[in-house]
Amino acid sequence: MENFTVYNPTCVFFGKNIIQGMQKIISPLGRKALLIYGKGSVKSNGIYDAVVKQLNDCGITIAEYSGIKANPVIDDARKAAEKGRENQTDFIVAVGGGSVIDTAKLVSVCIKEPLDPWDVMKSKMKPRTNIPVIAVLTLAATGTEMNPYAVLQNPETKEKIGFGMNLMYPKYSFLDPQYTYSVPKDQTAYGIVDLIAHTLEAYFAYGEAQLSDRFAESIIKEAIEIAPLVIANPENYHYRSRIMWAATCALNGSTSYGRATSGDWGVHDIGHTLSMLYDFPHGATLSVAYPAWLKLQKEKIEDRISLLGKNVFGTTNAGETISEIEKFFASLNCPVSLKELKLNESHKTEIIQLLSKNKITGYNHKLKEQDYTKIVELMF
Ligand code: NZQ
Ligand code: ZN
C-alpha cells in the first residue's frame, strides 16, 4: 500500500426531509446568499421552494444565478462570480446536479479575491480564499457533493477539464433522495454509469490497495443490483437512497486510499472530449468510452480486468468481463457506440484531432498518439 492522507471536510446530511434542518447551519455563514441552479428542474420538483423557505426563515438576502447548463460552461462561472461580488455574497447555495454544484464550487474561490475562473482551472492563478458552499444535490451521479473537484468546459479553447483543491469541498451537502424521484430514466441511467466509471477509474490506478479494491467492487455490485429496480421504480425511496449513497462513495476518496494515484481518468478525458464536441451527457460518453478503453488496454491490464470480473460478475477472463460491462450499460439503454449517438465516419477525424490537441492520455495506462485512431474505431 502507498502512503496516503485522508482529508474530507464536507459535512453530509443524508435522508428524508433533511432540508428542513438547513436553518441550523445557515446563520453562522452570514446574511447574504447566492443561490445557483440549473434550467428549471428545481422549480418543478419542489426543492427550490424548500431551500428558499429555509433561507427566508433565517432572514437571509438571496441573489440568484440560474440557467447553468448540463456540461457547464466557464462563462456562467464568470457571470455568477460577478453576481456574487456585486451582492457581497457570504455563502453559496447550489441546488442541482453535478453541473450546478461544480460551477458553484469554482465560483466560491473566485469571489473574495476576484479571480478569473478559467485562470484558476488552468492553474494560472491559485485561490487563497473561498466562501462556503452548501450543496443541495438533486441527481445521483458525480460525487461532487463530497469531493473538491469541478469540471467545466470552455467552448473558446475547446476544452472540458477538471480542477480541484481543498478550498473547493462543499462545507455542507444535503442529500434527500426524494428530490431525485423526478430525475428522468435516461439521466438516472447515466448517473449509474458515471458512478461505476468513477470506481473503475480508481480500480485501474497503479498500486496495491486491497481494501480500496473491495470498496470499489462493492459499489459496482450495489449499482448493478439497484439499477434495474430504481429505473423501474423511480419514486421508491429505498432504491433512490441506495443509488444516491453509492454515487457519493464512488468519488469521495474511499476507493482510492493506498493507491499510487487517485485513478487513471483517461476514459473520463475521452468522454469530456466527446461532450465538448457534441454536448453529449457525461454518462452517455462513458458508456461508449469505457468498453472501448478496456478493449484497447486488455493486454496491458488483463489481470486487473479479470480480477474485477471474477469478484463482480463471476466471469473467468478479461474478455468476458468487458462484455459483461458493455451488456450492463446497454441493458440500461445507455449507448455503447458512437453510432448510437448518431455519429458517423465523417466525425472520426475531428475527434482524433481534439484528443491529440488536448493531449488526452490518462495518468496510469497512458494513451499514445497512435492509440487515438484505435480508440475512436473501437467506439464506433
Ligand atoms: O438544469 P436542470 O433543469 O436542473 O436539469 C438537469 C439537467 O438537464 C437535470 N436534473 C438534475 N436534477 C434533476 C434533474 N431533472 C429532474 N429532476 C431532478 N431532480 O439533469 C440534467 C443533467 O444535470 P447535470 O447536473 O449535468 O448532471 P450530473 O449530475 O450528471 O453532472 C454532470 C456534470 O458533472 C461533471 C460532468 O463532466 C458533467 O459536466 N462531473 C463532475 C465530477 C466532479 N465534480 O467530481 C466528476 C464527474 O466525473 C463528472 O466529470
Ligand atoms: Zn464522471
Side-chain angles (χ1 to χ4, degrees), residues 39-41 45 98-99 102 138 147 149 160 179 182 198 268 282:
K39 300 264 183 200
S41 70
N45 71 11
S99 296
D102 282 7
T138 64
N147 74 39
Y149 310 117
K160 180 175 184 184
Y179 291 108
S182 55
H198 296 157
H268 264 71
H282 177 56

Side-chain angles (χ1 to χ4, degrees), residues 301-315:
I301 50 172
E302 187 134 25
D303 290 351
R304 286 298 283 168
I305 304 174
S306 299
L307 181 72
L308 175 83
K310 177 170 154 265
N311 293 338
V312 173
F313 299 101
T315 49

Side-chain angles (χ1 to χ4, degrees), residues 37-42 44-45 47 67-72 95-102 105 137-145 147-153 160 179-184 187 190-191 194 198 251 265 268 272 275 282-283 286:
Y37 54 95
K39 300 264 183 200
S41 70
V42 295
S44 37
N45 71 11
I47 184 75
I68 304 296
K69 71 178 276 300
N71 295 321
V95 191
S99 296
V100 168
I101 296 173
D102 282 7
K105 285 159 72 176
L137 184 69
T138 64
L139 202 167
T142 62
T144 187
E145 63 277 11
N147 74 39
Y149 310 117
V151 184
L152 278 88
Q153 57 190 44
K160 180 175 184 184
Y179 291 108
T180 66
Y181 290 174
S182 55
V183 178
Q187 289 291 347
Y190 299 150
D194 193 21
H198 296 157
L251 197 51
W265 299 104
H268 264 71
H272 294 337
S275 290
H282 177 56
L286 300 171

Side-chain angles (χ1 to χ4, degrees), residues 192-226:
I192 293 166
V193 171
D194 193 21
L195 83 87
I196 290 176
H198 296 157
T199 56
L200 292 178
E201 297 283 14
Y203 203 84
F204 295 116
Y206 288 129
E208 286 192 14
Q210 280 79 0
L211 185 58
S212 291
D213 281 354
R214 288 185 168 165
F215 278 138
E217 289 158 3
S218 298
I219 289 168
I220 298 175
K221 282 184 175 172
E222 174 80 351
I224 289 174
E225 183 180 314
I226 294 302

